[in-house]
Structures are given as C-alpha cells and as structure tokens.
Amino acid sequence: MKLNLGCHLSVSGGYTNMGKEAVSIGANTFQFFTRNPRGGSVKIPSDSDIEGLVKIMDEHNFAPIIAHAPYTFNPCALDDGIRDYTKRTMAEDMKLLDKIPNALYNFHPGSHVQQGTEIGIIKTADTLNSILDKSEKTIALIETMAGKGSEIGKTFEEIAEIIEKTENKARVGVCLDTCHINDGGYDVTNNFYGVLEEFDKIIGLNKLKAVHLNDSKNPLGAHKDRHEKIGEGHLTLDGIIKAITHPYISTLPIVLETPNDLDGYAREIALLKELTIDK
Ligand code: FE
Ligand code: FE
Ligand code: ZN
C-alpha cells in the first residue's frame, strides 16, 4: 500500500527548500509553521519560492501539505485583543496558502481559560466565521486535542459542535492527532477502527482531512500531550501500523510530529513504508 507520509519541517530555508527536503527523505507531504510558533512574526515568501514548491509537489505527486498555526493563537481567548490578533493572522495565513493547491491550515481550537467549554466553542466558531471569507480555497483543520488544561476540541462531540456552528462548512475539516486522541481517552492501540466509527458517527469521516502521526509518552486518557517516537510509546508499533493502514486513513496526508531531527524522520518514514508495503 502506498501511503502519503511526511513530517514537520522548518520554513526557515523557504518554501521550495521544504519541498526539496521532503523529497530527500522519501516524503510526499509535510507540515510547517507559517510563522515562529511562539512569536508570530512572519517572513512572506516570494511568488517564485512558492512556485518552486508547487513544481516539486507536482513532479513528485504530493498529497496536500499542511501549514500549522502558531501555538500563541487562541481562537477562543477571553481577551478580545488576542482574539482579533488571532483572526487577523489566521486570515492572512490562509490567504497566502491559497497559492498552494489543496493546502490545509491546521489550528488548535484554543483554550477557554475559565470561560467554560461552551463559550470556548462559540468563540472558536465565531473566529472561523469571521475569517473564512477572507481567503478562497484553503481548508481550515481543527486539530483533535489531548485535553490538557482548558483545551477545547478534546472530544469528537466538541469538534462536531464547532463545525455545527460554522457557516462555511465546506472550508472546515479535522486533523486527527494520534497522540492527542489517545491521551484524550480514545484507544488508538487496541480499538482504532472502533474510534474511527465513533468519529464517523459524531463528526463524519468525510471531514477528516489529515493525520498527525505521533506515539505518546503517556497512557490512554492521560490528557498530557507529550509526543514520542514511533513505536517507542504507549501506542506501540503494531497499533500505529494498524491505524495508518485503515482504508480511509491510508488515503490522507500523514505527518510525523515525533521528537526527531531530519535523519530521525527519514528513518521513521522508511520504517513505516517498509512495514506497510504489502498491506
Ligand atoms: Fe498541533
Ligand atoms: Fe499535532
Ligand atoms: Zn501535541
């Protein structure tokens, strides 16, 4: 079986360079932070830099690539200033990504910080409603969260509610993070097919557009969010192979966010290819 595998890459060398790096490690997708994940400053890429990437994606049959919004964003912040800043930058990022065919924009639905989950959900949906018409094509992906602190998006029900309250549903999807959902109490290791059936019932499998493939340093339901290398954590290598060879998952971009440098990612991608080649 041929999977769409990739990993997180640094944007610091530019967009074309990320395409080259992905190809060099046997990937046909990747993820990157649009901006400094903690700061938020952005270096706007030139058109030729983006065209260089699109050409590589074309030549090497890339699956959609994923841009990740910075951690400093909080789409459901209590402070209107933070939320305005989040809206402005998310809209800006998505507009830039319109230049890349089928680009996906992954974001954390946010932390409600004592406002309560319900208010968090309403505010995050409002953030989406106020930005989606400022770009044309890019799909916003709500990431499934581990549920640490006051994170929203820790259950499929919460994610379904956010989508429910979004007007332009065609431009909203979900990115499933295997470490996060296992930390959230969904048993990836022993019952992944059952978990996806639940996803289908509550959200709809057609909303699932990408996967963050991570092992977890913590057991089922820990609500911690500490990623582990593939096969070295609680998800186990068997559990992970079973997950990525699921007939629907195997069609999606699958991106590693494991604690690795580029060589480590290359090894994990090679391992995953080897173990799925005749599945
Ligand atoms: Fe994330
Ligand atoms: Fe993730
Ligand atoms: Zn995480």
Side-chain angles (χ1 to χ4, degrees), residues 35-254:
R35 318 164 173 249
N36 179 335
R38 298 187 192 283
S41 61
V42 66
K43 193 176 144 236
I44 304 286
S46 67
D47 281 346
S48 67
D49 189 22
I50 291 186
E51 281 157 20
L53 168 63
V54 173
K55 188 157 171 272
I56 291 171
M57 289 176 65
D58 245 26
E59 285 168 358
H60 296 269
N61 247 312
F62 269 46
I65 62 165
I66 308 165
H68 194 309
Y71 295 144
T72 41
F73 283 17
N74 188 359
C76 63
L78 173 64
D79 183 304
D80 282 341
I82 294 178
R83 218 151 65 87
D84 284 346
Y85 162 76
T86 301
K87 286 178 186 173
R88 213 167 46 238
T89 37
M90 281 178 85
E92 230 174 79
D93 281 356
M94 289 183 73
K95 194 164 178 207
L96 173 68
L97 292 165
D98 274 351
K99 296 180 185 171
I100 303 172
N102 308 310
L104 304 166
Y105 186 60
N106 175 87
F107 71 101
H108 294 182
S111 296
H112 67 72
V113 202
Q114 292 174 2
Q115 299 174 92
T117 303
E118 215 36 53
I119 302 282
I121 287 169
I122 290 168
K123 285 193 173 174
T124 294
D126 168 78
T127 295
L128 281 172
N129 284 333
S130 69
I131 64 164
L132 288 178
D133 61 352
K134 300 196 170 58
S135 54
E136 280 166 17
K137 297 179 289 204
T138 304
I139 306 271
L141 297 185
I142 303 168
E143 182 168 355
T144 60
M145 301 309 293
K148 64 176 189 303
S150 64
E151 275 173 353
I152 65 166
K154 60 190 175 295
T155 65
F156 297 160
E157 284 82 358
E158 289 178 16
I159 290 177
E161 252 195 274
I162 298 169
I163 297 172
E164 171 59 37
K165 291 177 170 33
T166 309
E167 286 149 23
N168 193 344
K169 293 183 175 51
R171 298 273 308 281
V172 181
V174 179
C175 175
L176 185 110
D177 186 309
T178 54
C179 165
H180 295 178
I181 63 166
N182 201 72
D183 277 27
Y186 296 98
D187 192 347
V188 172
T189 318
N190 304 302
N191 187 32
F192 186 72
Y193 279 49
V195 167
L196 275 202
E197 272 171 36
E198 196 173 337
F199 186 104
D200 191 33
K201 232 183 335 186
I202 296 166
I203 302 175
L205 210 49
N206 64 335
K207 281 284 161 205
L208 185 52
K209 308 284 187 199
V211 172
H212 285 165
L213 188 66
N214 303 305
D215 210 327
S216 177
K217 285 190 195 295
N218 293 289
L220 179 66
H223 300 297
K224 287 274 207 281
D225 190 2
R226 300 277 314 279
H227 302 185
E228 182 53 282
K229 292 193 172 83
I230 295 303
E232 294 184 21
H234 285 263
L235 265 53
T236 74
L237 192 53
D238 272 3
I240 283 169
I241 296 301
K242 192 123 196 260
I244 60 178
T245 52
H246 179 284
Y248 185 80
I249 297 293
S250 62
T251 66
L252 300 177
I254 300 172

